[in-house]
Amino acid sequence: MPARPDRRVRRVYDPPEPDDGVRVLVDRLWPRGLSKERAAVDEWPKDLTPSKELRTAYHAGRCDFAQFRSRYRAELCEPAAAQALDRLRETAASGTVTLVTAVQDPEHSHVTVLVEALDERR
């Protein structure tokens, strides 16, 4: 997934960089074995993350990535998620935002879908 100059995606386990800007954790669960200090997360908008049901279905193989993407996009239209996405867009408009995640393959996860949604204007 190509990064924009004002938007990055990094693993939360990697050390923070001085030019990360606002670090936003985009996972529903806190990363295992990582202290809040080491994570250096500025925001943790859980409303932006896929529901437990959707995450479970995807990880169990009950839906493929296309189905996951479609269902997650629908979840991002729910009022709380849409409001959180608008706040994230505002933050990104004012400076660098680094989306941090514990997933090992961000390109085949909710992070890709979230970046796509973030790039869209309402």
Side-chain angles (χ1 to χ4, degrees):
M1 129 186 45
R4 293 177 34 166
D6 60 342
R7 192 163 310 128
R8 304 157 193 227
V9 175
R10 300 188 64 222
R11 291 207 65 226
V12 70
Y13 296 106
D14 295 337
E17 298 283 333
D19 56 352
D20 278 349
V22 178
R23 289 174 53 91
V24 180
L25 179 63
V26 293
D27 297 338
R28 184 167 293 269
L29 304 175
W30 187 262
R32 179 177 282 179
L34 192 64
S35 70
K36 290 184 179 182
E37 294 77 26
R38 199 169 132 227
V41 168
D42 298 303
E43 297 180 19
W44 186 16
K46 294 179 190 174
D47 288 331
L48 281 179
T49 64
S51 65
K52 179 181 178 183
E53 297 77 18
L54 181 54
R55 282 186 303 109
T56 301
Y58 182 55
H59 293 299
R62 292 193 303 268
C63 66
D64 63 19
F65 189 69
Q67 293 167 321
F68 171 82
R69 176 189 304 261
S70 176
R71 290 173 58 188
Y72 181 37
R73 290 301 299 246
E75 288 184 358
L76 287 172
C77 292
E78 295 294 323
Q83 185 176 24
L85 185 57
D86 285 343
R87 281 194 305 272
L88 185 56
R89 283 186 183 119
E90 290 171 12
T91 302
S94 64
T96 301
V97 170
T98 299
L99 306 179
V100 293
T101 181
V103 299
Q104 293 181 353
D105 184 9
E107 289 194 30
H108 297 98
S109 74
H110 69 287
V111 180
T112 299
V113 182
L114 181 56
V115 168
E116 291 169 359
L118 187 57
D119 286 342
E120 295 172 357
R121 297 289 171 213
R122 294 182 88 181

